[in-house]
Amino acid sequence: MKRIGTVSRVAQGLAIVRAPDDEYASVGTAVVDEELQTVGSVVDVFGPVERPYLAVSPNDDVHLPALVGKVLYAR
C-alpha cells in the first residue's frame, strides 16, 4: 500500500486529497482507508505538479464528511 495523501475537503460529491509530494496515484487507482476499507477511486489529478490534488469518487456506502482529515492509500 502506498499513501496517496490526506483528505483536505469535500467538494461536489468528491473527496479532495492533497498528495504528499510529486509522486501521486494515477486516475483509476482504487483507494482504501487505514482499515483497508475501499473508499472509492481516483477520478482526476489537478493543481501544482510538486504537490497535486486528487479527486476521489467515493463508493455509495462512504460518508464523505467523515473522511476529512483522514489519510488514504492506494490499493
Side-chain angles (χ1 to χ4, degrees):
M1 263 186 351
K2 179 173 173 22
R3 180 175 184 236
I4 66 165
T6 304
V7 179
S8 61
R9 65 183 176 275
V10 174
Q12 298 177 359
L14 300 170
I16 307 302
V17 178
R18 186 75 191 254
D21 53 34
D22 63 350
E23 291 186 28
Y24 52 86
S26 59
V27 172
T29 300
V31 177
V32 296
D33 62 13
E34 293 173 338
E35 296 155 0
L36 300 179
Q37 300 296 320
T38 302
V39 172
S41 61
V42 177
V43 293
D44 194 13
V45 178
F46 59 95
V49 174
E50 299 82 27
R51 234 180 121 200
Y53 291 94
L54 309 172
V56 175
S57 178
N59 290 346
D60 291 336
D61 60 343
V62 174
H63 182 64
L64 278 176
L67 291 178
V68 175
K70 303 254 178 158
V71 177
L72 298 180
Y73 302 86
R75 180 167 295 272

mmCIF file with all atom_site columns, all heavy atoms in Angstrom, residues 48 64 66:
data_model
loop_
_atom_site.group_PDB
_atom_site.id
_atom_site.type_symbol
_atom_site.label_atom_id
_atom_site.label_alt_id
_atom_site.label_comp_id
_atom_site.label_asym_id
_atom_site.label_entity_id
_atom_site.label_seq_id
_atom_site.pdbx_PDB_ins_code
_atom_site.Cartn_x
_atom_site.Cartn_y
_atom_site.Cartn_z
_atom_site.occupancy
_atom_site.B_iso_or_equiv
_atom_site.pdbx_formal_charge
_atom_site.auth_seq_id
_atom_site.auth_comp_id
_atom_site.auth_asym_id
_atom_site.auth_atom_id
_atom_site.pdbx_PDB_model_num
ATOM 1  N N   . PRO A 1 48 ? -0.865  22.049 -8.579 1.00 0.00 ? 48 PRO A N   1
ATOM 2  C CA  . PRO A 1 48 ? 0.574   22.169 -8.819 1.00 0.00 ? 48 PRO A CA  1
ATOM 3  C C   . PRO A 1 48 ? 1.245   20.799 -8.966 1.00 0.00 ? 48 PRO A C   1
ATOM 4  O O   . PRO A 1 48 ? 0.887   19.846 -8.287 1.00 0.00 ? 48 PRO A O   1
ATOM 5  C CB  . PRO A 1 48 ? 1.096   22.895 -7.580 1.00 0.00 ? 48 PRO A CB  1
ATOM 6  C CG  . PRO A 1 48 ? 0.065   22.668 -6.536 1.00 0.00 ? 48 PRO A CG  1
ATOM 7  C CD  . PRO A 1 48 ? -1.241  22.506 -7.252 1.00 0.00 ? 48 PRO A CD  1
ATOM 8  N N   . LEU A 1 64 ? -18.873 10.907 3.128  1.00 0.00 ? 64 LEU A N   1
ATOM 9  C CA  . LEU A 1 64 ? -17.773 11.816 2.785  1.00 0.00 ? 64 LEU A CA  1
ATOM 10 C C   . LEU A 1 64 ? -17.295 12.719 3.916  1.00 0.00 ? 64 LEU A C   1
ATOM 11 O O   . LEU A 1 64 ? -16.092 12.820 4.142  1.00 0.00 ? 64 LEU A O   1
ATOM 12 C CB  . LEU A 1 64 ? -18.141 12.661 1.569  1.00 0.00 ? 64 LEU A CB  1
ATOM 13 C CG  . LEU A 1 64 ? -17.951 11.992 0.222  1.00 0.00 ? 64 LEU A CG  1
ATOM 14 C CD1 . LEU A 1 64 ? -18.438 12.910 -0.894 1.00 0.00 ? 64 LEU A CD1 1
ATOM 15 C CD2 . LEU A 1 64 ? -16.512 11.623 -0.003 1.00 0.00 ? 64 LEU A CD2 1
ATOM 16 N N   . ALA A 1 66 ? -17.004 12.336 6.938  1.00 0.00 ? 66 ALA A N   1
ATOM 17 C CA  . ALA A 1 66 ? -16.211 11.586 7.918  1.00 0.00 ? 66 ALA A CA  1
ATOM 18 C C   . ALA A 1 66 ? -14.781 11.357 7.434  1.00 0.00 ? 66 ALA A C   1
ATOM 19 O O   . ALA A 1 66 ? -13.901 11.034 8.230  1.00 0.00 ? 66 ALA A O   1
ATOM 20 C CB  . ALA A 1 66 ? -16.877 10.246 8.208  1.00 0.00 ? 66 ALA A CB  1
#
